[in-house]
Amino acid sequence: MTADAAHDVLARVVREHAGRLSASLMSLLDDFSAAEDLVQDAVEAALRRWPAEGVPERPDAWLFTVARRRGLDVLRREATYRDKLAQLHWPRRPVADDRLKLLFTCCHPALSRQAQIALTLRVVCGLTTAQIAAAFLEPEATVAQRLTRAKRKITDAGIPYRIPAEEELPERLGEVLAAVYLMFNEGYLSNGGERSHSRSLADDAEWLAALLAGLMPREPEAAGLLALIRLHRARAAARFDAAGRLVLLQDQDRSLWDREAIADATALLTRAARCHRRPGPYQLQAAIVACHAEAGRWEETDWPQIVVLYDMLLHLTPSPVTRLHRAVAVRYAQGPGAAMKELENLGRELDRYPLYHAALADLLRALGRLQEAQAADRRALEMTTNPAQQALLSERLGWM
Amino acid sequence: MKYVLMFIETEQYRKDWEAKDQAERDAAFEKVGRWFAEHATSITHSTQLYPATAATTVRLDDGRDPIITDGPFVEGKEVVSGYVEVELGDLDEALRVARSWPACPVVEVRPAL
């Protein structure tokens, strides 16, 4: 097994068990911070020892035993915790999957989005602080401080550990989905630093979306997010060329797309839409991506359908960025002149958004206004920090 | 857990309030009265403050004489206009109470010792 493959196995095993261990310690100790610390210690011990000793036959029992021993050790002064832990033995009685409660606590709207993501990665996915810092290209101390603050806030402000009441569920589920989707986007196309493509965050985000979809079968948006992430990932192999440069959708080699994964994700999306008939932003975005993914060639893309889906999306969640994407679809459905009209109305709101200037440049070029196009390209280039995006834009500047 | 809900007025809210006639003000007061009645079992204390124009700030910096100035401690467009102390189970309950507040547009929810 290569080092990378061994690393992947390790990450997968930890992810499969860390959240369950967090939930079981949480229900026992009723203290988020204490439970989280013990899980983290157990995960760090596993990452130290498993590469040399091999992954144990029952990784869950192994992690549990380490966490328990550690708990008895560090919580020496806290008699109540000690007593609770001392009574605890493996195997535990089968318990309901409480990881959903963990997710709702980690993604409570009283925490910042960055804190929600860092906590979720640690508590539910079992990442270490160092791994989170590496994924976000941030100093470890910054992430550690963010986690400490978030845990303190959970305790001090009385953020509950439970699944929200029915009437609050749509909004609170929205928070969780947004955190997972942002995590995916960070992994899929990170916004800064050297690595423009980081595998593990996208893995974790997909895994979390699958967990959510499995635990919340009545929520079509959870399935929608999972389908969206899988549709993006099914095309990942074609997104970068051999030199590591980003390849535009229209130039991608579609034979590299994973047709089977696309069909599966599309089927998942259709099932969710048919069973519930409650469209939402993630189902609609997934449907848009599915339109692209199902087209055998760029020229076969169903642009009018995409425009309709964007209209529905704008109706649910109006945003200037979505209007920009709609305008791009309008360009191919109705021509660059119609799209230009849409774009002109967005200039003020999206002046600081690099993709606006990139899209503008594209349209200006299509309309033969080459000098203006070049200026817009330059604006876009000034604004993006992602090396792959920058490379793509500077390449385009080079053609002119 | 004990929480303090701080009610915060914005400039716009004050302008809108001043533009209201007596009947509209009475209706607004009645809504607030109903809110207090609804949450009477959780409210342990409440205070309405005079406007920020009545505030005086004393700044006790190290080694210097206290500096006394007119106005609230931060000059801003949003000022605290009153607060209630509530006893509730957790933050979600406190947020639910805060969301149902029928008057000024900002409520800060802070756990209290």
Side-chain angles (χ1 to χ4, degrees), chain A residues 108 156-158 162 168 171, chain B residues 1 3 90-92 96 99 111:
Chain A
H108 196 280
D156 291 350
R162 76 161 105 78
E168 284 163 4
E171 193 189 322
Chain B
M1 282 189 65
Y3 294 92
D90 58 46
L91 183 63
D92 281 358
R96 214 170 295 143
R99 290 178 99 129

Side-chain angles (χ1 to χ4, degrees), chain B residues 15 19 21 24 27-28 30 38 41 48 60 65-66 73 83 94 101 113:
Chain B
K15 272 188 206 144
D21 64 26
E24 287 170 321
E30 205 201 304
E38 246 165 67
T41 51
Q48 189 181 1
L60 304 160
D65 287 337
F73 80 102
Y83 63 89
W101 172 246
L113 295 170

Side-chain angles (χ1 to χ4, degrees), chain A residues 20 24 27 92-98:
Chain A
R20 288 179 196 275
S24 103
S27 68
R92 299 207 59 207
R93 267 175 288 119
V95 285
D97 196 336
D98 269 349

Side-chain angles (χ1 to χ4, degrees), chain A residues 13 23 32 37 42 64 71 103 115 120 127 144 152 181 198 212 229 234 261 280 301 312 319 338 364 389 395:
Chain A
V13 174
F32 190 90
D37 284 342
F64 175 83
L103 272 168
T120 303
L127 265 70
R152 195 180 304 142
Y181 192 40
S198 93
L212 265 172
I229 289 175
T301 312
M312 290 169 75
S319 103
L364 288 165
Q389 274 185 14
E395 195 174 82

